[in-house]
Amino acid sequence: MMPGGNVMYHLPRNTRLEELDGIDISDAVFSISCRYGQYAMNQEGTPKATEQPPFRRLNSQDSLDEMSMEDYWTELENIKKSSENRQAQEVVVVKVPDEGELEEEWLKEAGLSNLFGESTEDPQESMVFLSTLTRTQAAAVQRRVETVSQTLRKKNKQYHIPDVRDIFAQQAEPKEKAPDGSEVLPLRTNENKEQEKDDQASCVLVGDKQLILPVPEDVPPSVTDINLEVSFAEQAISQKDSAKDKMQRNRGNDASLPSFRLPKDKTGTTKVGDLAPQDMKKVCYLALIELTALYEVLGVELKQQKAVKIKTRDSGLFGVPLTILLEQDQRRVPGTRTPLIFQKLVSRIEEGGLETEGLLRIPGAAIRIKNLCQELEAKFYEGTFNWETVKQHDAASLLKLFIRELPQPLLSVEYLKAFQAVQNLPTKKQQLQALNLLVILLPEANRDTLKALLEFLQRVIDKKEQNKMTVMNVAMVMAPNLFMCHTLGLKSGEQREFVMAAGTANIMHLLIKYQKLLWTIPKFIVNQVRKQNAESHKKDKKPMKKLLKKMAYDREKYEKQEKNTNDADVPQGVIRVQAPHLSKVSMAIQLTEELKASDVLARFLSQESGVAHTLKKGEVFLYEIGGNIGERCLDEDAYMQDLHQLNPNAEWVIKSKPA
């Protein structure tokens, strides 16, 4: 024991600090000592002599057992044993793309492919898109356009390559405007001025390196608001200096993993699934650009993975791509959003009771799991499989095996490394922001299955008093199944396993703890989509005006008559809400400052009778359609007057969500 209550530990016998220098070893060194080394203490508590420099644990912690990585390493050993009897998938390694090709692919995925190549004769669509970007987003795009341009010139491509200065001329103004018309400046907001509480978990010093350790979950958390109205990358720029100061101030202080909340927004929160596909596509473009900008501002490299192809099965249960699984499942159960085998395994685990001690941690027998897999493949879709033969721990092992054997990882091959890089971001808030953007970027099938998995894991954690599975226990057990992807060649030496272990467990911890926030689409991105739609509508009207020029008089007369009719039908300050599938198909509603979407729904449902009267809250929703949005399902707490001011040309329709 060191003076002042600090405990001294040592790195494993064969590991030198020089080997770890220059790589991210956040949370890893402590796991190394737990897994491969012995604590450098004799029975009397006297430190033994050692050649390696010691590292010091700075902050007060609970017992060492709570911080142990043993669950992670045990799970890894179980995975290795179970994979010995499984047939290896055929991996075809393709040529690794050069930097220019990677950036070209990035621009395509960001919806900006017509900035280069043969389609650049008319880049107007991209110009509208670019006009809505923030300063940091535009800078991220500009760097990639420059790289692609240089690459194409070197390869003597006969493409028209626009000058970057022409593309981004409109972004060079000193003051940029946000999608809602307000100026976006790198000002220190009240949120930035306050000393944040989310920066530092407990830390360890190795020489002059500071390493982040997991934080005991029972420490009372602080509460921090998440600002969804300003670009995350723009926030990161304004917080950089204060974060450095704070890192020095907080060193040596115990800090818990914070609780984050979303401040109430009068226009309502937008969740993944609330927008029409055409708008969601734009959201994904913007999320990729924003994620790239955020990583660049924080000095973290973001590289997408495209270097492997896998020969996959086109039927069955295990080792089948999610999209193919869902296609075959939707033929049996229309509208299902997660694979049926996944649903059945989860329900089987829950039938055995979530109070079972060691649930998810204790594996089923390897031979029995192998036999159950073969039997499920043969009998699951025929409906002849006897689920009574599946013990609870067997079902948990099968669930983990299903996730692990997906040909492409659940977190997607494109973004798995970006998920892993989250641990390198300096603050918990920025890690959460990055995870938010990454969840939005996942393919729909992956996103829905991940959501169902995290919700199940939370139900397990809710019974932690009985099953002894805390959030960190569950995170350590599940991390290897989500992050150890065979397609990326991550089966490397022990040192890399050390680095990945606690880091990926911490990311899993964040995914579970903050899952209710991760499926929220930031308001600044929704506002950018609104601005794009508004600009596109203006552009589309120009040729139409030319075509109808000779009919101007009739057109103006018709619009005047229509306006007069509408004014007579719907007075100012009143909206008309349509409900084509309810008995009351239309209703004029007076706007007030306190009127919410839930109030509008309540008025309609209170007037229903007969079969329609059985409709309950959560079965039908109020939608904002048209104007500067394609279609948006409204948060029940959205204030209608504020929404009407934001999108005065929208229609308001009550209907159920598509399956």
Side-chain angles (χ1 to χ4, degrees):
M1 187 75 67
M2 291 183 64
N6 291 324
V7 182
M8 292 185 64
Y9 305 112
H10 298 271
L11 292 172
R13 183 171 300 170
N14 297 324
T15 304
R16 301 190 309 273
L17 285 178
E18 292 80 4
E19 296 173 352
L20 301 176
D21 188 38
I23 63 173
D24 173 39
I25 49 177
S26 171
D27 301 338
V29 173
F30 187 72
S31 69
I32 297 173
S33 62
C34 290
R35 178 70 172 90
Y36 291 98
Q38 298 294 326
Y39 300 117
M41 296 240 178
N42 59 20
Q43 293 180 348
E44 291 75 28
T46 305
K48 294 181 180 179
T50 177
E51 297 177 0
Q52 292 84 6
F55 67 89
R56 297 178 293 115
R57 191 172 186 178
L58 294 183
N59 297 330
S60 60
Q61 295 285 327
D62 290 350
S63 70
L64 296 178
D65 291 338
E66 289 183 6
M67 303 302 295
S68 172
M69 294 293 296
E70 191 61 32
D71 286 345
Y72 182 98
W73 302 113
T74 301
E75 182 67 17
L76 206 58
E77 290 298 323
N78 293 333
I79 291 172
K80 290 177 180 178
K81 289 178 182 177
S82 67
S83 63
E84 290 174 358
N85 298 322
R86 303 291 294 174
Q87 184 177 359
Q89 289 176 298
E90 182 179 346
V91 179
V92 181
V93 181
V94 298
K95 174 182 174 291
V96 178
D98 60 30
E99 185 178 11
E101 290 169 333
L102 284 173
E103 306 297 29
E104 189 172 331
E105 185 66 30
W106 185 93
L107 288 167
K108 288 179 180 177
E109 293 194 19
L112 294 168
S113 58
N114 56 359
L115 286 182
F116 60 91
E118 297 174 346
S119 61
T120 53
E121 297 86 13
D122 183 21
Q124 288 301 312
E125 184 177 348
S126 290
M127 300 308 287
V128 170
F129 184 94
L130 291 170
S131 70
T132 67
L133 300 184
T134 66
R135 174 189 53 191
T136 51
Q137 290 173 346
V141 174
Q142 183 172 354
R143 277 188 283 273
R144 279 146 188 84
V145 171
E146 289 172 344
T147 302
V148 171
S149 299
Q150 292 170 5
T151 303
L152 293 178
R153 289 191 181 98
K154 288 178 183 177
K155 293 180 178 180
N156 295 319
K157 293 283 187 180
Q158 299 302 311
Y159 291 155
H160 169 66
I161 305 170
D163 192 297
V164 175
R165 291 169 295 182
D166 295 334
I167 296 175
F168 293 97
Q170 57 193 312
Q171 298 293 336
E173 298 176 3
K175 294 183 180 180
E176 63 174 308
K177 296 214 170 174
D180 59 0
S182 61
E183 292 179 352
V184 178
L185 295 173
L187 296 178
R188 297 169 70 91
T189 62
N190 290 334
E191 179 183 351
N192 299 332
K193 291 175 184 176
E194 294 177 0
Q195 180 174 346
E196 305 249 356
K197 299 176 183 179
D198 68 328
D199 269 41
Q200 295 297 316
S202 303
C203 61
V204 164
L205 290 183
V206 181
D208 57 358
K209 269 189 181 295
Q210 179 169 281
L211 310 175
I212 307 303
L213 290 175
V215 179
E217 61 193 83
D218 295 330
V219 180
S222 58
V223 179
T224 306
D225 285 345
I226 296 294
N227 185 349
L228 297 181
E229 297 191 14
V230 178
S231 157
F232 297 154
E234 296 289 342
Q235 292 181 47
I237 287 179
S238 61
Q239 292 170 1
K240 257 187 166 182
D241 293 337
S242 60
K244 291 177 183 176
D245 296 339
K246 180 173 39 182
M247 185 177 295
Q248 299 299 322
R249 288 197 302 270
N250 283 0
R251 182 171 290 180
N253 295 331
D254 189 26
S256 66
L257 193 63
S259 288
F260 291 107
R261 65 186 175 194
L262 301 179
K264 287 291 185 181
D265 181 0
K266 300 201 80 174
T267 59
T269 302
T270 305
K271 297 284 187 180
V272 172
D274 286 349
L275 296 178
Q278 65 269 27
D279 282 341
M280 193 61 201
K281 191 174 182 180
K282 295 172 184 175
V283 166
C284 290
Y285 291 157
L286 290 162
L288 175 57
I289 296 172
E290 176 65 18
L291 178 70
T292 306
L294 177 63
Y295 274 41
E296 288 184 351
V297 166
L298 298 174
V300 175
E301 186 178 35
L302 176 63
K303 291 291 185 183
Q304 291 175 266
Q305 178 69 33
K306 292 277 186 181
V308 296
K309 289 183 179 179
I310 298 180
K311 185 177 181 180
T312 60
R313 302 168 59 195
D314 56 4
S315 63
L317 299 174
F318 296 89
V320 180
L322 270 178
T323 50
I324 292 178
L325 269 175
L326 285 172
E327 286 173 5
Q328 64 188 21
D329 288 352
Q330 287 168 354
R331 288 194 288 268
R332 294 170 171 83
V333 182
T336 187
R337 301 180 68 88
T338 55
L340 296 179
I341 181 63
F342 176 92
Q343 296 178 34
K344 185 60 182 177
L345 289 171
V346 167
S347 65
R348 184 62 185 165
I349 296 169
E350 294 188 321
E351 285 169 8
L354 297 181
E355 299 84 2
T356 304
E357 187 169 339
L359 189 61
L360 296 176
R361 181 198 296 138
I362 300 175
I367 297 300
R368 189 166 64 245
I369 297 302
K370 180 183 177 182
N371 292 335
L372 285 171
C373 280
Q374 294 173 348
E375 194 175 352
L376 277 166
E377 292 281 8
K379 298 180 179 180
F380 179 73
Y381 285 121
E382 294 178 2
T384 57
F385 181 78
N386 182 12
W387 283 97
E388 297 299 322
T389 64
V390 182
K391 300 177 182 179
Q392 190 182 34
H393 291 303
D394 292 342
S397 293
L398 287 167
L399 178 66
K400 291 186 289 185
L401 179 66
F402 169 80
I403 295 168
R404 195 167 62 245
E405 293 217 340
L406 289 171
Q408 304 291 354
L410 186 60
L411 301 180
S412 84
V413 69
E414 293 89 351
Y415 298 111
L416 184 60
K417 288 188 176 180
F419 272 98
Q420 292 169 350
V422 166
Q423 64 184 297
N424 300 330
L425 302 181
T427 72
K428 284 290 182 281
K429 180 186 285 188
Q430 289 161 347
Q431 291 174 4
L432 175 59
Q433 291 169 337
L435 287 174
N436 180 200
L437 296 168
L438 282 165
V439 164
I440 291 172
L441 284 168
L442 287 176
E444 187 175 7
N446 298 59
R447 196 166 54 221
D448 292 339
T449 305
L450 176 63
K451 188 173 190 293
L453 174 64
L454 295 178
E455 289 171 348
F456 163 68
L457 296 179
Q458 185 58 57
R459 293 195 293 273
V460 172
I461 293 162
D462 290 341
K463 302 291 184 180
K464 63 183 178 182
E465 297 299 328
Q466 294 81 27
N467 60 34
K468 310 304 180 187
M469 294 298 289
T470 65
V471 64
M472 279 307 298
N473 294 138
V474 172
M476 289 179 187
V477 168
M478 294 305 298
N481 294 282
L482 270 76
F483 286 94
M484 297 298 290
C485 176
H486 52 276
T487 65
L488 297 184
L490 295 183
K491 293 181 179 179
S492 55
E494 288 182 351
Q495 180 173 303
R496 181 155 187 175
E497 287 187 0
F498 300 156
V499 174
M500 288 186 61
T504 55
N506 275 330
I507 296 167
M508 196 73 221
H509 185 177
L510 295 175
L511 286 169
I512 297 170
K513 180 175 177 64
Y514 300 127
Q515 58 183 284
K516 291 184 179 179
L517 306 181
L518 296 179
W519 270 257
T520 301
I521 302 176
K523 184 178 179 180
F524 71 88
I525 289 182
V526 176
N527 283 343
Q528 287 178 296
V529 171
R530 289 185 185 276
K531 186 174 181 182
Q532 287 178 28
N533 289 336
E535 294 296 327
S536 295
H537 292 334
K538 290 179 184 178
K539 186 188 73 171
D540 293 340
K541 288 178 181 179
K542 291 180 181 178
M544 184 63 69
K545 287 180 180 179
K546 292 181 180 178
L547 290 173
L548 299 179
K549 191 173 182 179
K550 60 182 179 179
M551 303 171 60
Y553 176 78
D554 292 337
R555 183 168 179 266
E556 290 174 8
K557 182 178 180 181
Y558 170 77
E559 289 178 348
K560 185 175 181 181
Q561 291 174 344
E562 184 179 38
K563 183 178 179 182
N564 291 337
T565 302
N566 290 338
D567 289 345
D569 186 33
V570 182
Q572 187 175 3
V574 175
I575 59 171
R576 181 161 294 281
V577 180
Q578 307 291 334
H581 301 297
L582 301 183
S583 57
K584 182 75 173 178
V585 297
S586 179
M587 184 184 297
I589 295 180
Q590 177 71 48
L591 293 174
T592 65
E593 289 186 0
E594 301 302 321
L595 181 72
K596 296 182 180 180
S598 57
D599 300 326
V600 175
L601 282 169
R603 292 189 193 182
F604 272 87
L605 295 179
S606 66
Q607 298 190 26
E608 291 302 298
S609 59
V611 177
H613 189 61
T614 61
L615 286 172
K616 299 177 182 178
K617 180 181 177 181
E619 294 180 359
V620 291
F621 303 86
L622 181 59
Y623 279 78
E624 169 193 7
I625 300 176
N628 56 33
I629 203 76
E631 183 174 292
R632 175 175 175 250
C633 181
L634 297 185
D635 177 359
E636 63 179 17
D637 289 329
Y639 287 84
M640 298 305 300
Q641 184 167 280
D642 294 86
L643 268 174
H644 182 62
Q645 293 171 355
L646 179 65
N647 191 4
N649 296 319
E651 296 180 358
W652 312 98
V653 179
I654 294 176
K655 61 177 184 175
S656 59
K657 268 190 178 180

